[in-house]
Amino acid sequence: MKKSEADIKNLVIYGGSFNPPHLGHREAVHTALEELQPDLLLVIPDCEPPHKQMETGSPSPEERLRLCELNFAGLDGVQISDLELRRTGKSYSYDTVLQLQEIYPDARLTLMIGTDMLLSFEEWYHFEYLLQHCTIAVLARELDDEDALRQTAEQFQNQYGADICLVQHTPLPMSSTDIRGRLRARGGTDLLQEDVYREIIRKRLYGAQPELRWLREQAYTMISAKRIAHVAGCETEAVSLAMHWGEDPEAAAEAGILHDITKGLSYKEQLKLCEKYDIICDTDELKAPKLLHARTGAAMARDLFGIPDAVYEAIRWHTTGKPDMTLLEKIIYIADYIEPTRDFPGVEAVRAIAYTDLDAAMLTGLRQTIEEIREGGTEPYIDTLNACQWLEARMNERRQ
Ligand code: DGI
Ligand code: FE
Ligand code: FE
């Protein structure tokens, strides 16, 4: 049950940049809830940290707030506050404390801070006021600096009448800076709350690149068991084609993993996605539902996993092909065609030349597909025909 403001007697404040918020922050809050038994614990992401520069390219304050909501979700007695985000200029705890004293006139305020923060506390704006009016809960990092810590605490107690308590807390051996580095290097899942990681990848905050193992897990829950083998094969084939032809193997892996995520959806569900993602289909596409999954798959992969444009395009064109394809687009088209679990008639012809002449492999694949579709009594889609014609012209030029 939500307590009214007047019921809050013991209010703990946990401020910081939370850039990004991680499992260590969550653990600290968990400890504080147990040790300090507050009526309310407010997590307050700062707008402009007073003591350091926020790294350029950091997510907006609103995005950090959203990440905090995800990071601290499900913890009873915890609220995320946008108090500092609504103020302009540097985010001084002093201003925050004054505001909170007005909102919660009956509350004793406790500031949660790290060890290093206590040691430099005399640099804080109006630190005397803070020491005289708030309890300071220090999350003691390592036991080694306990002496320095106790000394400082004692000094503050004698000099300012401060009320300082130590909360034993073993933090992650990681800072947010380290985590940002990990995110760029396709790591970080073990240090972040699942939903926080998902949101970071979705928006590719911090220049994050998804961990491929995580991406596979996500994709494989979206498709049938039978299709997993095909998708895994397609990824492997795409990576080896990329290495062979000088394309980025990680982009190829992402495209391979995600290329068929909507393949198992019904026609009705495909149409729903077309509407959601503003995909306008022509009548031929509507008549051949198999064509839709390339378009809805690309849109959904971008929405859920923030794929870059090159990967988006490779997924978008993996079924029909099109004229003048990029290297990555061809690689995904061919990988999808020849991956090891494929055994339809004609696959060998493409396999035989995929590593010696990619355009010839494309042309063979397209021609065989066109033939197969015509044998089935329908006319291939215009993009497929155009892709084929374009390559024929190119191959003729090459011969001349
Ligand atoms: O999704 P996959 O099964 O792994 O492979 P895919 O995306 O290449 O889809 C293959 C199916 O799409 C196959 O049944 C043939 C069909 N297809 C490919 N090009 C065309 C096409 N269907 C029509 N109607 N027109 C095309 O141009
Ligand atoms: Fe497909
Ligand atoms: Fe496929």
Side-chain angles (χ1 to χ4, degrees), residues 227 230 259-260 263 284 287-291 293-294 318-321 333 336-337 342 369-370 372-373 378-385:
R227 186 154 296 275
H230 160 64
H259 83 284
D260 273 341
K263 177 82 179 191
D284 288 340
K287 270 190 273 175
K290 276 182 181 166
L291 299 177
H293 81 284
H318 86 268
T319 303
T320 59
Y333 184 94
D336 186 35
Y337 205 97
R342 295 287 208 204
T369 302
I370 289 171
E372 187 198 303
I373 292 166
T378 48
E379 191 48 16
Y381 188 59
I382 187 75
D383 289 330
T384 310
L385 295 171

PDB file of all heavy atoms in Angstrom, residues 227 230 259-260 263 284 287-291 293-294 318-321 333 336-337 342 369-370 372-373 378-385, ligand 1:
ATOM      1  N   ARG A 227      12.703 -24.512 -36.963  1.00  0.00           N
ATOM      2  CA  ARG A 227      13.353 -23.397 -37.645  1.00  0.00           C
ATOM      3  C   ARG A 227      14.680 -22.998 -36.990  1.00  0.00           C
ATOM      4  O   ARG A 227      15.541 -22.411 -37.638  1.00  0.00           O
ATOM      5  CB  ARG A 227      12.397 -22.192 -37.693  1.00  0.00           C
ATOM      6  CG  ARG A 227      12.898 -21.013 -38.491  1.00  0.00           C
ATOM      7  CD  ARG A 227      11.783 -20.181 -39.033  1.00  0.00           C
ATOM      8  NE  ARG A 227      10.987 -20.927 -39.990  1.00  0.00           N
ATOM      9  CZ  ARG A 227      11.296 -21.036 -41.284  1.00  0.00           C
ATOM     10  NH1 ARG A 227      12.349 -20.447 -41.775  1.00  0.00           N
ATOM     11  NH2 ARG A 227      10.528 -21.745 -42.085  1.00  0.00           N
ATOM     12  N   HIS A 230      17.672 -24.201 -38.850  1.00  0.00           N
ATOM     13  CA  HIS A 230      17.881 -23.418 -40.072  1.00  0.00           C
ATOM     14  C   HIS A 230      18.527 -22.069 -39.746  1.00  0.00           C
ATOM     15  O   HIS A 230      19.473 -21.650 -40.400  1.00  0.00           O
ATOM     16  CB  HIS A 230      16.563 -23.208 -40.817  1.00  0.00           C
ATOM     17  CG  HIS A 230      16.605 -22.050 -41.775  1.00  0.00           C
ATOM     18  ND1 HIS A 230      17.441 -22.032 -42.888  1.00  0.00           N
ATOM     19  CD2 HIS A 230      15.958 -20.858 -41.763  1.00  0.00           C
ATOM     20  CE1 HIS A 230      17.271 -20.878 -43.518  1.00  0.00           C
ATOM     21  NE2 HIS A 230      16.397 -20.141 -42.852  1.00  0.00           N
ATOM     22  N   HIS A 259      16.909 -13.063 -39.138  1.00  0.00           N
ATOM     23  CA  HIS A 259      16.258 -12.893 -40.444  1.00  0.00           C
ATOM     24  C   HIS A 259      14.855 -13.498 -40.543  1.00  0.00           C
ATOM     25  O   HIS A 259      14.042 -13.034 -41.329  1.00  0.00           O
ATOM     26  CB  HIS A 259      17.161 -13.404 -41.584  1.00  0.00           C
ATOM     27  CG  HIS A 259      17.094 -14.884 -41.809  1.00  0.00           C
ATOM     28  ND1 HIS A 259      17.724 -15.789 -40.984  1.00  0.00           N
ATOM     29  CD2 HIS A 259      16.465 -15.621 -42.763  1.00  0.00           C
ATOM     30  CE1 HIS A 259      17.496 -17.007 -41.430  1.00  0.00           C
ATOM     31  NE2 HIS A 259      16.728 -16.943 -42.514  1.00  0.00           N
ATOM     32  N   ASP A 260      14.570 -14.509 -39.750  1.00  0.00           N
ATOM     33  CA  ASP A 260      13.261 -15.172 -39.874  1.00  0.00           C
ATOM     34  C   ASP A 260      12.394 -15.036 -38.619  1.00  0.00           C
ATOM     35  O   ASP A 260      11.488 -15.856 -38.414  1.00  0.00           O
ATOM     36  CB  ASP A 260      13.462 -16.668 -40.177  1.00  0.00           C
ATOM     37  CG  ASP A 260      13.611 -16.940 -41.679  1.00  0.00           C
ATOM     38  OD1 ASP A 260      13.211 -16.086 -42.492  1.00  0.00           O
ATOM     39  OD2 ASP A 260      14.134 -18.028 -42.022  1.00  0.00           O
ATOM     40  N   LYS A 263       8.749 -15.383 -39.251  1.00  0.00           N
ATOM     41  CA  LYS A 263       8.349 -16.381 -40.251  1.00  0.00           C
ATOM     42  C   LYS A 263       7.198 -17.277 -39.769  1.00  0.00           C
ATOM     43  O   LYS A 263       6.366 -17.705 -40.558  1.00  0.00           O
ATOM     44  CB  LYS A 263       9.571 -17.237 -40.607  1.00  0.00           C
ATOM     45  CG  LYS A 263       9.309 -18.357 -41.585  1.00  0.00           C
ATOM     46  CD  LYS A 263       9.314 -17.890 -43.018  1.00  0.00           C
ATOM     47  CE  LYS A 263       9.079 -19.063 -43.946  1.00  0.00           C
ATOM     48  NZ  LYS A 263       9.333 -18.734 -45.349  1.00  0.00           N
ATOM     49  N   ASP A 284       0.322  -7.934 -54.821  1.00  0.00           N
ATOM     50  CA  ASP A 284       1.085  -9.169 -55.032  1.00  0.00           C
ATOM     51  C   ASP A 284       1.663  -9.691 -53.717  1.00  0.00           C
ATOM     52  O   ASP A 284       1.675 -10.892 -53.451  1.00  0.00           O
ATOM     53  CB  ASP A 284       2.224  -8.940 -56.037  1.00  0.00           C
ATOM     54  CG  ASP A 284       1.691  -8.775 -57.457  1.00  0.00           C
ATOM     55  OD1 ASP A 284       0.538  -9.205 -57.699  1.00  0.00           O
ATOM     56  OD2 ASP A 284       2.410  -8.217 -58.294  1.00  0.00           O
ATOM     57  N   LYS A 287      -0.933 -11.322 -51.741  1.00  0.00           N
ATOM     58  CA  LYS A 287      -1.320 -12.638 -52.253  1.00  0.00           C
ATOM     59  C   LYS A 287      -0.291 -13.706 -51.881  1.00  0.00           C
ATOM     60  O   LYS A 287      -0.559 -14.896 -51.938  1.00  0.00           O
ATOM     61  CB  LYS A 287      -1.464 -12.578 -53.784  1.00  0.00           C
ATOM     62  CG  LYS A 287      -2.899 -12.205 -54.213  1.00  0.00           C
ATOM     63  CD  LYS A 287      -3.074 -12.404 -55.710  1.00  0.00           C
ATOM     64  CE  LYS A 287      -2.631 -11.145 -56.454  1.00  0.00           C
ATOM     65  NZ  LYS A 287      -2.648 -11.242 -57.910  1.00  0.00           N
ATOM     66  N   ALA A 288       0.937 -13.287 -51.588  1.00  0.00           N
ATOM     67  CA  ALA A 288       1.998 -14.247 -51.256  1.00  0.00           C
ATOM     68  C   ALA A 288       2.526 -13.953 -49.854  1.00  0.00           C
ATOM     69  O   ALA A 288       3.543 -13.297 -49.688  1.00  0.00           O
ATOM     70  CB  ALA A 288       3.130 -14.147 -52.287  1.00  0.00           C
ATOM     71  N   PRO A 289       1.809 -14.456 -48.842  1.00  0.00           N
ATOM     72  CA  PRO A 289       2.158 -14.120 -47.459  1.00  0.00           C
ATOM     73  C   PRO A 289       3.607 -14.431 -47.095  1.00  0.00           C
ATOM     74  O   PRO A 289       4.152 -13.822 -46.192  1.00  0.00           O
ATOM     75  CB  PRO A 289       1.202 -14.968 -46.630  1.00  0.00           C
ATOM     76  CG  PRO A 289       0.220 -15.559 -47.558  1.00  0.00           C
ATOM     77  CD  PRO A 289       0.670 -15.369 -48.954  1.00  0.00           C
ATOM     78  N   LYS A 290       4.228 -15.386 -47.833  1.00  0.00           N
ATOM     79  CA  LYS A 290       5.627 -15.719 -47.535  1.00  0.00           C
ATOM     80  C   LYS A 290       6.545 -14.523 -47.708  1.00  0.00           C
ATOM     81  O   LYS A 290       7.616 -14.455 -47.116  1.00  0.00           O
ATOM     82  CB  LYS A 290       6.099 -16.844 -48.447  1.00  0.00           C
ATOM     83  CG  LYS A 290       5.727 -18.199 -47.905  1.00  0.00           C
ATOM     84  CD  LYS A 290       6.253 -19.290 -48.790  1.00  0.00           C
ATOM     85  CE  LYS A 290       5.851 -20.646 -48.240  1.00  0.00           C
ATOM     86  NZ  LYS A 290       6.045 -21.699 -49.231  1.00  0.00           N
ATOM     87  N   LEU A 291       6.109 -13.592 -48.561  1.00  0.00           N
ATOM     88  CA  LEU A 291       6.948 -12.419 -48.802  1.00  0.00           C
ATOM     89  C   LEU A 291       6.925 -11.443 -47.623  1.00  0.00           C
ATOM     90  O   LEU A 291       7.831 -10.640 -47.456  1.00  0.00           O
ATOM     91  CB  LEU A 291       6.476 -11.675 -50.063  1.00  0.00           C
ATOM     92  CG  LEU A 291       6.540 -12.470 -51.365  1.00  0.00           C
ATOM     93  CD1 LEU A 291       5.974 -11.650 -52.508  1.00  0.00           C
ATOM     94  CD2 LEU A 291       7.983 -12.870 -51.684  1.00  0.00           C
ATOM     95  N   HIS A 293       7.178 -11.892 -44.378  1.00  0.00           N
ATOM     96  CA  HIS A 293       8.035 -12.054 -43.191  1.00  0.00           C
ATOM     97  C   HIS A 293       9.369 -11.322 -43.317  1.00  0.00           C
ATOM     98  O   HIS A 293       9.967 -10.960 -42.311  1.00  0.00           O
ATOM     99  CB  HIS A 293       8.242 -13.535 -42.862  1.00  0.00           C
ATOM    100  CG  HIS A 293       9.306 -14.205 -43.686  1.00  0.00           C
ATOM    101  ND1 HIS A 293       9.127 -14.582 -44.980  1.00  0.00           N
ATOM    102  CD2 HIS A 293      10.585 -14.516 -43.373  1.00  0.00           C
ATOM    103  CE1 HIS A 293      10.236 -15.143 -45.440  1.00  0.00           C
ATOM    104  NE2 HIS A 293      11.136 -15.110 -44.496  1.00  0.00           N
ATOM    105  N   ALA A 294       9.817 -11.100 -44.535  1.00  0.00           N
ATOM    106  CA  ALA A 294      11.077 -10.366 -44.697  1.00  0.00           C
ATOM    107  C   ALA A 294      10.883  -8.899 -44.285  1.00  0.00           C
ATOM    108  O   ALA A 294      11.762  -8.291 -43.662  1.00  0.00           O
ATOM    109  CB  ALA A 294      11.562 -10.457 -46.147  1.00  0.00           C
ATOM    110  N   HIS A 318      15.971 -10.504 -47.860  1.00  0.00           N
ATOM    111  CA  HIS A 318      16.529 -11.865 -47.889  1.00  0.00           C
ATOM    112  C   HIS A 318      15.661 -12.854 -48.652  1.00  0.00           C
ATOM    113  O   HIS A 318      16.137 -13.887 -49.096  1.00  0.00           O
ATOM    114  CB  HIS A 318      16.807 -12.371 -46.461  1.00  0.00           C
ATOM    115  CG  HIS A 318      15.639 -13.027 -45.773  1.00  0.00           C
ATOM    116  ND1 HIS A 318      14.760 -12.337 -44.970  1.00  0.00           N
ATOM    117  CD2 HIS A 318      15.197 -14.319 -45.766  1.00  0.00           C
ATOM    118  CE1 HIS A 318      13.846 -13.171 -44.486  1.00  0.00           C
ATOM    119  NE2 HIS A 318      14.081 -14.381 -44.963  1.00  0.00           N
ATOM    120  N   THR A 319      14.394 -12.555 -48.857  1.00  0.00           N
ATOM    121  CA  THR A 319      13.522 -13.522 -49.533  1.00  0.00           C
ATOM    122  C   THR A 319      13.491 -13.316 -51.047  1.00  0.00           C
ATOM    123  O   THR A 319      13.630 -14.273 -51.808  1.00  0.00           O
ATOM    124  CB  THR A 319      12.088 -13.445 -48.965  1.00  0.00           C
ATOM    125  OG1 THR A 319      12.158 -13.680 -47.564  1.00  0.00           O
ATOM    126  CG2 THR A 319      11.177 -14.489 -49.596  1.00  0.00           C
ATOM    127  N   THR A 320      13.335 -12.066 -51.467  1.00  0.00           N
ATOM    128  CA  THR A 320      13.204 -11.821 -52.911  1.00  0.00           C
ATOM    129  C   THR A 320      14.514 -11.411 -53.569  1.00  0.00           C
ATOM    130  O   THR A 320      14.703 -11.632 -54.758  1.00  0.00           O
ATOM    131  CB  THR A 320      12.213 -10.662 -53.172  1.00  0.00           C
ATOM    132  OG1 THR A 320      12.691  -9.487 -52.516  1.00  0.00           O
ATOM    133  CG2 THR A 320      10.823 -11.021 -52.677  1.00  0.00           C
ATOM    134  N   GLY A 321      15.396 -10.761 -52.794  1.00  0.00           N
ATOM    135  CA  GLY A 321      16.515 -10.080 -53.442  1.00  0.00           C
ATOM    136  C   GLY A 321      15.993  -8.827 -54.110  1.00  0.00           C
ATOM    137  O   GLY A 321      14.783  -8.530 -54.073  1.00  0.00           O
ATOM    138  N   TYR A 333      21.179 -13.471 -48.291  1.00  0.00           N
ATOM    139  CA  TYR A 333      20.364 -14.198 -49.274  1.00  0.00           C
ATOM    140  C   TYR A 333      20.970 -15.589 -49.541  1.00  0.00           C
ATOM    141  O   TYR A 333      20.274 -16.610 -49.506  1.00  0.00           O
ATOM    142  CB  TYR A 333      20.259 -13.401 -50.585  1.00  0.00           C
ATOM    143  CG  TYR A 333      19.358 -14.049 -51.609  1.00  0.00           C
ATOM    144  CD1 TYR A 333      18.018 -13.697 -51.721  1.00  0.00           C
ATOM    145  CD2 TYR A 333      19.848 -15.048 -52.465  1.00  0.00           C
ATOM    146  CE1 TYR A 333      17.185 -14.308 -52.644  1.00  0.00           C
ATOM    147  CE2 TYR A 333      19.029 -15.671 -53.397  1.00  0.00           C
ATOM    148  CZ  TYR A 333      17.692 -15.299 -53.485  1.00  0.00           C
ATOM    149  OH  TYR A 333      16.874 -15.910 -54.395  1.00  0.00           O
ATOM    150  N   ASP A 336      21.015 -17.975 -46.410  1.00  0.00           N
ATOM    151  CA  ASP A 336      19.679 -18.513 -46.207  1.00  0.00           C
ATOM    152  C   ASP A 336      19.413 -19.666 -47.191  1.00  0.00           C
ATOM    153  O   ASP A 336      18.767 -20.653 -46.863  1.00  0.00           O
ATOM    154  CB  ASP A 336      18.670 -17.368 -46.440  1.00  0.00           C
ATOM    155  CG  ASP A 336      17.236 -17.763 -46.106  1.00  0.00           C
ATOM    156  OD1 ASP A 336      17.042 -18.540 -45.163  1.00  0.00           O
ATOM    157  OD2 ASP A 336      16.320 -17.269 -46.791  1.00  0.00           O
ATOM    158  N   TYR A 337      19.972 -19.533 -48.364  1.00  0.00           N
ATOM    159  CA  TYR A 337      19.761 -20.519 -49.433  1.00  0.00           C
ATOM    160  C   TYR A 337      20.576 -21.797 -49.230  1.00  0.00           C
ATOM    161  O   TYR A 337      20.067 -22.899 -49.420  1.00  0.00           O
ATOM    162  CB  TYR A 337      20.142 -19.868 -50.772  1.00  0.00           C
ATOM    163  CG  TYR A 337      19.480 -20.462 -51.992  1.00  0.00           C
ATOM    164  CD1 TYR A 337      18.329 -19.883 -52.534  1.00  0.00           C
ATOM    165  CD2 TYR A 337      20.015 -21.585 -52.617  1.00  0.00           C
ATOM    166  CE1 TYR A 337      17.727 -20.421 -53.657  1.00  0.00           C
ATOM    167  CE2 TYR A 337      19.422 -22.130 -53.748  1.00  0.00           C
ATOM    168  CZ  TYR A 337      18.266 -21.542 -54.265  1.00  0.00           C
ATOM    169  OH  TYR A 337      17.675 -22.081 -55.372  1.00  0.00           O
ATOM    170  N   ARG A 342      19.878 -27.117 -45.501  1.00  0.00           N
ATOM    171  CA  ARG A 342      19.089 -27.062 -46.745  1.00  0.00           C
ATOM    172  C   ARG A 342      19.433 -28.265 -47.622  1.00  0.00           C
ATOM    173  O   ARG A 342      20.606 -28.573 -47.828  1.00  0.00           O
ATOM    174  CB  ARG A 342      19.421 -25.793 -47.537  1.00  0.00           C
ATOM    175  CG  ARG A 342      19.040 -24.494 -46.845  1.00  0.00           C
ATOM    176  CD  ARG A 342      17.552 -24.282 -46.856  1.00  0.00           C
ATOM    177  NE  ARG A 342      17.212 -22.864 -46.821  1.00  0.00           N
ATOM    178  CZ  ARG A 342      16.052 -22.406 -46.373  1.00  0.00           C
ATOM    179  NH1 ARG A 342      15.121 -23.231 -45.918  1.00  0.00           N
ATOM    180  NH2 ARG A 342      15.800 -21.115 -46.397  1.00  0.00           N
ATOM    181  N   THR A 369      14.785 -20.189 -57.992  1.00  0.00           N
ATOM    182  CA  THR A 369      13.584 -19.800 -57.244  1.00  0.00           C
ATOM    183  C   THR A 369      12.463 -19.428 -58.204  1.00  0.00           C
ATOM    184  O   THR A 369      11.310 -19.858 -58.050  1.00  0.00           O
ATOM    185  CB  THR A 369      13.904 -18.611 -56.303  1.00  0.00           C
ATOM    186  OG1 THR A 369      14.947 -18.999 -55.420  1.00  0.00           O
ATOM    187  CG2 THR A 369      12.692 -18.211 -55.490  1.00  0.00           C
ATOM    188  N   ILE A 370      12.825 -18.644 -59.226  1.00  0.00           N
ATOM    189  CA  ILE A 370      11.824 -18.220 -60.211  1.00  0.00           C
ATOM    190  C   ILE A 370      11.188 -19.437 -60.886  1.00  0.00           C
ATOM    191  O   ILE A 370       9.961 -19.543 -61.023  1.00  0.00           O
ATOM    192  CB  ILE A 370      12.473 -17.284 -61.255  1.00  0.00           C
ATOM    193  CG1 ILE A 370      12.786 -15.932 -60.580  1.00  0.00           C
ATOM    194  CG2 ILE A 370      11.577 -17.097 -62.475  1.00  0.00           C
ATOM    195  CD1 ILE A 370      13.624 -14.984 -61.416  1.00  0.00           C
ATOM    196  N   GLU A 372      11.037 -22.501 -59.749  1.00  0.00           N
ATOM    197  CA  GLU A 372      10.233 -23.259 -58.779  1.00  0.00           C
ATOM    198  C   GLU A 372       8.851 -22.618 -58.582  1.00  0.00           C
ATOM    199  O   GLU A 372       7.830 -23.301 -58.532  1.00  0.00           O
ATOM    200  CB  GLU A 372      10.999 -23.290 -57.455  1.00  0.00           C
ATOM    201  CG  GLU A 372      10.394 -24.172 -56.397  1.00  0.00           C
ATOM    202  CD  GLU A 372      10.941 -23.813 -55.013  1.00  0.00           C
ATOM    203  OE1 GLU A 372      12.174 -23.853 -54.826  1.00  0.00           O
ATOM    204  OE2 GLU A 372      10.127 -23.446 -54.138  1.00  0.00           O
ATOM    205  N   ILE A 373       8.862 -21.292 -58.502  1.00  0.00           N
ATOM    206  CA  ILE A 373       7.589 -20.597 -58.285  1.00  0.00           C
ATOM    207  C   ILE A 373       6.673 -20.763 -59.498  1.00  0.00           C
ATOM    208  O   ILE A 373       5.471 -21.031 -59.373  1.00  0.00           O
ATOM    209  CB  ILE A 373       7.837 -19.104 -57.980  1.00  0.00           C
ATOM    210  CG1 ILE A 373       8.518 -18.970 -56.607  1.00  0.00           C
ATOM    211  CG2 ILE A 373       6.540 -18.298 -57.997  1.00  0.00           C
ATOM    212  CD1 ILE A 373       9.113 -17.618 -56.351  1.00  0.00           C
ATOM    213  N   THR A 378       2.465 -20.017 -60.045  1.00  0.00           N
ATOM    214  CA  THR A 378       2.308 -18.574 -59.812  1.00  0.00           C
ATOM    215  C   THR A 378       3.475 -17.815 -60.442  1.00  0.00           C
ATOM    216  O   THR A 378       4.480 -18.400 -60.842  1.00  0.00           O
ATOM    217  CB  THR A 378       2.242 -18.214 -58.310  1.00  0.00           C
ATOM    218  OG1 THR A 378       3.310 -18.872 -57.648  1.00  0.00           O
ATOM    219  CG2 THR A 378       0.918 -18.573 -57.700  1.00  0.00           C
ATOM    220  N   GLU A 379       3.284 -16.505 -60.491  1.00  0.00           N
ATOM    221  CA  GLU A 379       4.315 -15.657 -61.077  1.00  0.00           C
ATOM    222  C   GLU A 379       5.169 -15.085 -59.933  1.00  0.00           C
ATOM    223  O   GLU A 379       4.622 -14.638 -58.920  1.00  0.00           O
ATOM    224  CB  GLU A 379       3.626 -14.537 -61.873  1.00  0.00           C
ATOM    225  CG  GLU A 379       4.504 -13.689 -62.762  1.00  0.00           C
ATOM    226  CD  GLU A 379       5.481 -14.454 -63.676  1.00  0.00           C
ATOM    227  OE1 GLU A 379       5.345 -15.700 -63.901  1.00  0.00           O
ATOM    228  OE2 GLU A 379       6.415 -13.802 -64.147  1.00  0.00           O
ATOM    229  N   PRO A 380       6.502 -15.143 -60.055  1.00  0.00           N
ATOM    230  CA  PRO A 380       7.372 -14.592 -59.004  1.00  0.00           C
ATOM    231  C   PRO A 380       7.108 -13.103 -58.790  1.00  0.00           C
ATOM    232  O   PRO A 380       6.605 -12.415 -59.674  1.00  0.00           O
ATOM    233  CB  PRO A 380       8.773 -14.808 -59.546  1.00  0.00           C
ATOM    234  CG  PRO A 380       8.639 -15.832 -60.614  1.00  0.00           C
ATOM    235  CD  PRO A 380       7.264 -15.706 -61.167  1.00  0.00           C
ATOM    236  N   TYR A 381       7.497 -12.642 -57.648  1.00  0.00           N
ATOM    237  CA  TYR A 381       7.305 -11.242 -57.293  1.00  0.00           C
ATOM    238  C   TYR A 381       8.261 -10.371 -58.102  1.00  0.00           C
ATOM    239  O   TYR A 381       9.364 -10.785 -58.460  1.00  0.00           O
ATOM    240  CB  TYR A 381       7.536 -11.056 -55.790  1.00  0.00           C
ATOM    241  CG  TYR A 381       7.166  -9.683 -55.296  1.00  0.00           C
ATOM    242  CD1 TYR A 381       5.867  -9.197 -55.442  1.00  0.00           C
ATOM    243  CD2 TYR A 381       8.118  -8.868 -54.689  1.00  0.00           C
ATOM    244  CE1 TYR A 381       5.537  -7.935 -54.994  1.00  0.00           C
ATOM    245  CE2 TYR A 381       7.792  -7.602 -54.234  1.00  0.00           C
ATOM    246  CZ  TYR A 381       6.501  -7.134 -54.394  1.00  0.00           C
ATOM    247  OH  TYR A 381       6.167  -5.890 -53.959  1.00  0.00           O
ATOM    248  N   ILE A 382       7.822  -9.151 -58.349  1.00  0.00           N
ATOM    249  CA  ILE A 382       8.563  -8.247 -59.222  1.00  0.00           C
ATOM    250  C   ILE A 382      10.012  -8.000 -58.773  1.00  0.00           C
ATOM    251  O   ILE A 382      10.932  -7.931 -59.588  1.00  0.00           O
ATOM    252  CB  ILE A 382       7.788  -6.905 -59.393  1.00  0.00           C
ATOM    253  CG1 ILE A 382       8.435  -5.988 -60.430  1.00  0.00           C
ATOM    254  CG2 ILE A 382       7.621  -6.182 -58.076  1.00  0.00           C
ATOM    255  CD1 ILE A 382       8.179  -6.433 -61.838  1.00  0.00           C
ATOM    256  N   ASP A 383      10.231  -7.914 -57.451  1.00  0.00           N
ATOM    257  CA  ASP A 383      11.598  -7.688 -56.947  1.00  0.00           C
ATOM    258  C   ASP A 383      12.524  -8.850 -57.325  1.00  0.00           C
ATOM    259  O   ASP A 383      13.694  -8.651 -57.647  1.00  0.00           O
ATOM    260  CB  ASP A 383      11.601  -7.523 -55.419  1.00  0.00           C
ATOM    261  CG  ASP A 383      10.987  -6.193 -54.980  1.00  0.00           C
ATOM    262  OD1 ASP A 383      11.077  -5.222 -55.745  1.00  0.00           O
ATOM    263  OD2 ASP A 383      10.415  -6.158 -53.874  1.00  0.00           O
ATOM    264  N   THR A 384      11.974 -10.064 -57.230  1.00  0.00           N
ATOM    265  CA  THR A 384      12.766 -11.248 -57.578  1.00  0.00           C
ATOM    266  C   THR A 384      13.154 -11.205 -59.061  1.00  0.00           C
ATOM    267  O   THR A 384      14.316 -11.448 -59.422  1.00  0.00           O
ATOM    268  CB  THR A 384      11.949 -12.529 -57.283  1.00  0.00           C
ATOM    269  OG1 THR A 384      11.438 -12.442 -55.958  1.00  0.00           O
ATOM    270  CG2 THR A 384      12.791 -13.774 -57.425  1.00  0.00           C
ATOM    271  N   LEU A 385      12.179 -10.865 -59.908  1.00  0.00           N
ATOM    272  CA  LEU A 385      12.460 -10.792 -61.346  1.00  0.00           C
ATOM    273  C   LEU A 385      13.456  -9.674 -61.650  1.00  0.00           C
ATOM    274  O   LEU A 385      14.397  -9.860 -62.430  1.00  0.00           O
ATOM    275  CB  LEU A 385      11.150 -10.547 -62.111  1.00  0.00           C
ATOM    276  CG  LEU A 385      10.126 -11.690 -62.015  1.00  0.00           C
ATOM    277  CD1 LEU A 385       8.785 -11.276 -62.620  1.00  0.00           C
ATOM    278  CD2 LEU A 385      10.658 -12.957 -62.708  1.00  0.00           C
TER     279      LEU A 385
HETATM  280  O1  DGI B   1      12.222 -18.014 -44.732  1.00  0.00           O
HETATM  281  P1  DGI B   1      12.949 -19.145 -45.353  1.00  0.00           P
HETATM  282  O2  DGI B   1      12.066 -20.331 -45.593  1.00  0.00           O
HETATM  283  O3  DGI B   1      14.186 -19.521 -44.642  1.00  0.00           O
HETATM  284  O4  DGI B   1      13.468 -18.654 -46.793  1.00  0.00           O
HETATM  285  P2  DGI B   1      12.963 -17.415 -47.659  1.00  0.00           P
HETATM  286  O5  DGI B   1      12.818 -16.242 -46.815  1.00  0.00           O
HETATM  287  O6  DGI B   1      13.877 -17.316 -48.830  1.00  0.00           O
HETATM  288  O7  DGI B   1      11.546 -17.849 -48.126  1.00  0.00           O
HETATM  289  C1  DGI B   1      11.470 -18.814 -49.058  1.00  0.00           C
HETATM  290  C2  DGI B   1      10.053 -18.929 -49.555  1.00  0.00           C
HETATM  291  O8  DGI B   1       9.671 -17.710 -50.153  1.00  0.00           O
HETATM  292  C3  DGI B   1       9.933 -19.999 -50.566  1.00  0.00           C
HETATM  293  O9  DGI B   1       8.784 -20.783 -50.244  1.00  0.00           O
HETATM  294  C4  DGI B   1       9.728 -19.303 -51.869  1.00  0.00           C
HETATM  295  C5  DGI B   1       9.190 -17.975 -51.433  1.00  0.00           C
HETATM  296  N1  DGI B   1       9.607 -16.947 -52.371  1.00  0.00           N
HETATM  297  C6  DGI B   1      10.851 -16.493 -52.596  1.00  0.00           C
HETATM  298  N2  DGI B   1      10.846 -15.569 -53.577  1.00  0.00           N
HETATM  299  C7  DGI B   1       9.547 -15.436 -53.965  1.00  0.00           C
HETATM  300  C8  DGI B   1       8.754 -16.300 -53.189  1.00  0.00           C
HETATM  301  N3  DGI B   1       7.435 -16.398 -53.342  1.00  0.00           N
HETATM  302  C9  DGI B   1       6.824 -15.640 -54.286  1.00  0.00           C
HETATM  303  N4  DGI B   1       5.529 -15.724 -54.417  1.00  0.00           N
HETATM  304  N5  DGI B   1       7.521 -14.787 -55.061  1.00  0.00           N
HETATM  305  C10 DGI B   1       8.870 -14.652 -54.957  1.00  0.00           C
HETATM  306  O10 DGI B   1       9.470 -13.869 -55.684  1.00  0.00           O
END
